[in-house]
Structure formats: structure tokens, C-alpha cells
Amino acid sequence: MDKVKLVEMGPRDGLQNEPAQVPTAVKIELVQQLAECGLTHIEVASFVSPKWVPQMADGSEVLTGLSRKQGVVYSALTPNLKGLEAALAAGADEVAVFTAASERFCQKNINCSVAESMARFEPVLQLARERGVRVRGYVSTVLGCPYEGDIAPAAVARVAGELYRLGCDEISLGDTIGTGTPNKAIAMLSAVRQEVPLLRLAAHFHDTYGQALANLYAVLEQGLRIIDSSVAGLGGCPYARRASGNVASEDVVYLLHGLGLNTGVDLDRLVNTGRWISRQLGRENGSKTGRAWNS
Ligand code: HMG
Ligand code: MG
């Protein structure tokens, strides 16, 4: 059966914007439960400035406190060499650099231009390669920017291509504010795949306008096979006000299994994990499947 790789964002993208500090033990428990659901790629932490994103300040404790499950890749965001060194010391299996298709978002998010971000990433990629650690590259605002509005597919393709040529193994395309619709997603992907092989591209769609599943279906039809999602639809972005979380993992798994695509995920367990973390955070469950599922 055709397989889709899911990259679970809940512990990182999902929690980074949570207003109350989430205890480290709850983060660790979340990651462990997600691994038990059959998720094999989990983004667990961010090694960014704790002044910018206080919620992610305990990344080292989360990574070192985990009971690791064999075969699971535990990854972390590393915007610069300082972040990479901390992530490696804590035992991250994979790291990710992140930039944007729009200049203004890049400035707000990582305090530099897109060109400067590439210069910062060069030594990150070099050291990661020396250590045999895979690197993912994120491009934000691929279907719209909160400051610049519409973003041309060619601009996304240019940035994605640059990350790929720098040595990123996989490029994740972020609809940061969830404004995309299916035809736009297809146009964007068509431009990007001229620069980066399709099977190295991931869809990272936030669900602010309720379009994420429709957009995912559109890019799946084009042959994309890596999807980022967040259990219970947790999350948002500190530099994109009103952005809601990634598309909910439970809803994505339900869609994929319905399409006959294999994920390796136990949906029943995932629903229970989504309910558990929603209770822990005192949040309404952001997954429709999570609310409807009878288990
Ligand atoms: P900067 O201020 O330009 O960096 O920040 P700097 O090198 O001038 O350093 C300033 C201070 O930050 C110094 O501390 C550094 O030590 C410290 P001070 O001397 O003032 O006490 N610092 C660090 N501390 C810990 N870890 C580090 C680190 N680097 C510097 N790695 C920086 C540049 C990128 C660090 C900053 O802008 C930052 O942390 N931004 C936060 C970005 C972020 O986490 N955004 C959210 C994640 S991205 C996202 O959600 C989008 C995504 O999901 C895709 C999508 O949906 O589109 C991936
Ligand atoms: Mg995101």
C-alpha cells in the first residue's frame, strides 16, 4: 500500500505558543504517547532564544528526559549554530532550519533577511553533515504572508531550491497562516517541484481558514507524500497573530486511511492522546475526528 510519512508537530509547533508554561514532564509524556501511537517522526523541541519563545526553553530537558522508542526520529528546530550545538548535545536525531518566502515574515520570525538566514544556515548544515544528522528546511508563508499578502509561487520555489542546494534533505512548505486554497497549493507545488524533487517535499499546513485538509488532498493528488500535522490541532505561531495550529493529526490520519494510504499510526491511540493533551492544557480538542471518534 502507498505510504505517507507523517511528521508530528504537536510538541513543538503545537506547544510553542501556549500561553501558560507547559511542565516539562507533560511535554515528555506527550512525546512518548505519540511514539506509542506509531508516529516515527516527532518534532520535540526548539533551540531558539528563550526570550523570543519562552515555552521552548526546556528543549534540552525534554530531549534528554525521553525514554526513546527504537525507530523513532526525535527532531528539533535549530535557527543557528548555537541552537544546533545545544540540540546535538541533547541528542536530537534530526534538526531543522527555518526561513520564509517573504522578507517581512523572515525579519519578524528570525530577525534577519532571507539571504542572511541562508548564510546562517551554511555552517549549521556543515556541522550537521559532519555529525551525520539529517537536516530539514522549512519555508514559511508559502501560501500567504500576514505582512505581505499573496506570495508568488516563484518566490517559494527560489527559497526552497536554495535550501535544497545548501544541503537540506527535506523541505517543508509552511502555509503559516492557513490562507491557501487547493488551486493555489497546486500552483505553488508545481513551481517548487521544478527545484526540489517531489518526494523530498512536505506539506505543513496550518488550518486557520479550515482549508488544510482540502489543500492536503490537492497536493496528495499531485504525488506529495510527507505531511506535517499536530495532535488535537494544537498550536499557532508567535509571529503570525491569529494563526491556528497545524491541521490535526487525527483528521489527517482519518483522511489518509480513508484514501487507502498507509501511515503506520493507530488512530484509536492517537485520538486518546489528543484528548489527554487537550485536557492537560484545558483546551477544546481541535480535531474533529478526535471529538467524533468512538473508542
Ligand atoms: P537574534 O536576536 O537576531 O540573535 O535572534 P543574536 O545572535 O543577536 O542573539 C541574541 C540573543 O539570543 C543572545 O542572548 C543569544 O545568546 C541568544 P543575549 O546575549 O541577548 O542574552 N540566542 C540564542 N539562545 C538560545 N538558542 C539559540 C540562540 N541564538 C541566539 N539558538 C534568533 C535570532 C533566531 C535566535 C531569534 O530570532 C529567535 O529565537 N527567534 C524565534 C524564532 C521561532 O522560534 N519562531 C517560531 C518557530 S518557526 C515556525 O513556527 C514556523 C514553522 O512552523 C513553519 C510554518 O508554519 O510556516 C517552522
Ligand atoms: Mg508551523
Side-chain angles (χ1 to χ4, degrees), residues 59-82:
S60 295
E61 289 80 358
V62 173
L63 265 165
T64 53
L66 288 172
S67 304
R68 285 163 176 261
K69 185 167 188 249
Q70 222 195 343
V72 175
V73 173
Y74 300 93
S75 64
L77 292 192
T78 55
N80 52 23
L81 213 39
K82 186 181 170 95

Side-chain angles (χ1 to χ4, degrees), residues 12-13 16 47-49 51 80 83 109 111 140 176 204 206:
R12 196 280 301 171
D13 208 341
Q16 70 182 7
F47 290 88
V48 298
S49 163
K51 287 186 193 141
N80 52 23
N109 194 29
N111 205 25
S140 283
T176 316
H204 177 107
H206 286 259

